[in-house]
Amino acid sequence: MKNHVWRPLFIVLAIVAGILITRTLLVPDDFGIGERGYMYGWHRKSNEAEWKKYPVKYKTATVCIECHKDKYDDIKDSPHGSISCENCHGPNYDHPKDPLGLNIDRSRGLCIRCHAYLPYRDSARAKIPGIDPVKHYPQAECIMCHYPHDPTKSNPKHRNPEVKS
Amino acid sequence: MMNRREFCKKTMIVAGGLIIPLSALEVFNPRRLYAEKNDKGKVRWVFLVDVHKCVGCGFCVKACKIENDVTWDANVTRTWVERYVITRDGQTLIDSPKGARDGFTSQKIDQAHAGLKDVKPEDIAKGFFVPKLCNHCDNPPCVQVCPVGATYQTQDGVVLVDRTWCIGCGYCVMGCPYGVRYFHPQLHVAEKCTLCYHRLSQGMKTACVDACPFGARRVGNIRDPEDPVTKIITTEQVNVLKEEFGTKPQVFYLGSSMEVK
């Protein structure tokens, strides 16, 4: 057959070979169909391990108790006992190595996450004592009167669940 | 010399004798059979949200943002809490300021361009909070639309994104009917809830579950019939979001309301 027929075919073959070579160079070896099959499983297998290696920052109260048993005993039977230490004290990271001390959130904004009164009678929010943050001693920090580890130990003069908007 | 009749008889006795003790050892547990029906692996993570217990404190959102290095001030979040206020005249008002990162501390409902809406307490028929996150669907449309295989589902049902492989086309962000995906403001790749895969694989719970003081969020293994979360899902009235899309979402809601979409 004549040369002008073969020439374009060679070019096409070269292009296909080029694409295939580039593909083998670019696509990682462990890329393939995972356990979830053709539709949902295509991925680079080693990425699963990469996500598993992501550092854990919130180590939970089980780690806090190891050193701060006294604080745990202080809070465990109080109405605040269900709140994780790290919610207020900040994530553990690698404490006490890094950081040495935790950055405790003592702000009003933290307390009013739950204790700002909202008029939703059937929601669980209604069962929590609520205040109007604008009217209830706006100049003060909550912890000046209330003891955060055990709110029942606070000064009764300053604790008034009836204050509503 | 054994004839054919004898041979068949003896074969059946031996084969039957071998089968009976094997089958006698297997005690059928219908719930285990149900849990393992369509499966090869032993773990399938599911999530359970109890709407009745949520108070809208937003500790889950805060913990998720810190645990997973989700940009704190950008208006993106992997999980968020929605406030639903249904008025007596039938209006449904929904808001989620900053994804409830700082909780709900005001009675004013953020209605975007319509401004902050103050509903009188006597006009409120019901008000409640609904935490939302990736549904880790059994038929994840976000995975199906990915043209490069950057997002995928693991054997235990978690939908993940390969950050090095994502080309940032945004098909998955468009494809998710629940709006749980977004672009990472710095990395410019698709981002989503990983169900704290790094914590689950170490036997921990997700950061949002650990941060919730009220037990409104729980994570469990649906393949384990003894898992308390599985027991609730299989025996109590639970709901999923947008069932009509056929995505088979695996985040189950207890006490959800018809206004929740």
Side-chain angles (χ1 to χ4, degrees):
Chain A
M1 215 181 285
K2 279 172 193 159
N3 211 16
H4 72 274
V5 180
W6 285 111
R7 217 179 290 141
L9 185 69
F10 288 140
I11 292 169
V12 169
L13 285 175
I15 291 171
V16 170
I19 290 170
L20 287 175
I21 290 163
T22 330
R23 190 184 175 280
T24 40
L25 289 176
L26 281 180
V27 177
D29 291 339
D30 56 347
F31 189 89
I33 305 172
E35 294 89 351
R36 283 290 275 116
Y38 196 85
M39 185 88 87
Y40 305 117
W42 282 103
H43 68 292
R44 188 168 59 88
K45 189 77 185 162
S46 50
N47 185 243
E48 288 175 30
E50 284 168 26
W51 278 114
K52 281 180 186 171
K53 267 193 304 202
Y54 207 79
V56 172
K57 299 174 186 77
Y58 282 84
K59 302 271 165 79
T60 75
T62 50
V63 175
C64 309
I65 295 165
E66 287 172 17
C67 305
H68 304 283
K69 183 81 168 51
D70 54 325
K71 301 290 179 201
Y72 171 72
D73 290 337
D74 195 20
I75 195 171
K76 68 173 184 203
D77 296 322
S78 94
H80 280 174
S82 64
I83 304 173
S84 168
C85 312
E86 291 166 304
N87 277 3
C88 310
H89 291 258
N92 185 89
Y93 295 100
D94 281 321
H95 173 76
K97 261 185 280 170
D98 178 31
L100 280 170
L102 297 180
N103 194 10
I104 306 172
D105 188 350
R106 296 184 173 89
S107 71
R108 228 178 134 78
L110 185 96
C111 307
I112 62 169
R113 280 169 175 267
C114 297
H115 294 289
Y117 172 77
L118 295 175
Y120 313 138
R121 273 161 290 121
D122 302 319
S123 97
R125 184 71 166 248
K127 297 181 191 98
I128 298 171
I131 53 117
D132 182 347
V134 182
K135 292 181 184 149
H136 183 85
Y137 303 99
Q139 75 284 7
E141 292 290 356
C142 309
I143 57 160
M144 289 166 75
C145 305
H146 304 275
Y147 181 56
H149 279 190
D150 191 350
T152 56
K153 281 184 190 163
S154 62
N155 186 341
K157 242 166 78 180
H158 296 289
R159 190 165 160 272
N160 187 1
E162 301 308 313
V163 180
K164 279 164 193 173
S165 62
Chain B
M1 185 71 188
M2 198 191 277
N3 63 21
R4 196 195 308 213
R5 182 182 290 268
E6 277 293 299
F7 174 76
C8 289
K9 242 179 171 174
K10 284 193 172 136
T11 311
M12 271 148 91
I13 287 165
V14 171
L18 283 173
I19 289 162
I20 287 164
L22 282 176
S23 58
L25 286 172
E26 177 86 31
V27 180
F28 287 106
N29 178 347
R31 278 168 63 198
R32 179 173 291 277
L33 283 178
Y34 177 74
E36 290 178 353
K37 206 172 70 174
N38 300 314
D39 130 73
K40 290 157 206 120
K42 287 216 164 63
V43 181
R44 205 309 176 192
W45 298 112
V46 291
F47 207 87
L48 179 66
V49 174
D50 191 338
V51 175
H52 289 304
K53 287 181 180 164
C54 183
V55 306
C57 67
F59 273 132
C60 49
V61 182
K62 181 191 173 193
C64 173
K65 280 206 151 189
I66 295 173
E67 175 75 24
N68 295 296
D69 298 307
V70 178
T71 325
W72 184 257
D73 277 318
N75 199 17
V76 292
T77 178
R78 289 186 182 186
T79 183
W80 67 97
V81 182
E82 289 173 1
R83 161 165 63 182
Y84 285 74
V85 173
I86 288 98
T87 61
R88 292 214 183 276
D89 55 8
Q91 260 188 301
T92 304
L93 304 164
I94 309 164
D95 78 336
S96 183
K98 289 180 184 167
R101 184 194 75 189
D102 304 324
F104 292 90
T105 55
S106 165
Q107 295 183 26
K108 294 188 175 76
I109 303 155
D110 188 355
Q111 293 297 292
H113 57 276
L116 295 169
K117 189 155 183 171
D118 208 354
V119 185
K120 286 193 202 114
E122 58 267 28
D123 292 337
I124 296 173
K126 53 181 170 179
F128 53 91
F129 302 96
V130 182
K132 294 219 173 147
L133 69 157
C134 171
N135 285 279
H136 295 279
C137 307
D138 253 353
N139 295 332
C142 56
V143 175
Q144 201 178 338
V145 297
C146 182
V148 294
T151 182
Y152 60 96
Q153 190 161 44
T154 62
Q155 192 177 21
D156 41 10
V158 180
V159 177
L160 296 174
V161 180
D162 185 342
R163 282 176 172 174
T164 60
W165 209 239
C166 176
I167 57 169
C169 70
Y171 282 9
C172 57
V173 180
M174 289 311 201
C176 174
Y178 306 99
V180 304
R181 281 176 175 254
Y182 60 92
F183 273 117
H184 194 292
Q186 284 117 36
L187 300 171
H188 308 295
V189 293
E191 269 280 290
K192 67 178 292 297
C193 160
T194 60
L195 210 63
C196 284
Y197 204 51
H198 57 300
R199 296 171 71 93
L200 288 182
S201 52
Q202 290 183 33
M204 298 176 80
K205 293 188 174 102
T206 67
C208 57
V209 169
D210 280 332
C212 181
F214 307 99
R217 286 170 176 256
R218 301 173 80 176
V219 66
N221 174 14
I222 196 85
R223 301 260 162 81
D224 176 9
E226 297 307 314
D227 193 309
V229 173
T230 309
K231 282 184 178 169
I232 292 173
I233 292 169
T234 50
T235 59
E236 291 184 36
Q237 290 91 331
V238 289
N239 208 348
V240 291
L241 300 176
K242 296 181 182 168
E243 196 195 0
E244 66 277 15
F245 280 69
T247 54
K248 295 191 186 161
Q250 300 297 309
V251 174
F252 297 88
Y253 286 83
L254 264 171
S256 184
S257 186
M258 63 175 180
E259 290 87 2
V260 181
K261 292 283 183 303

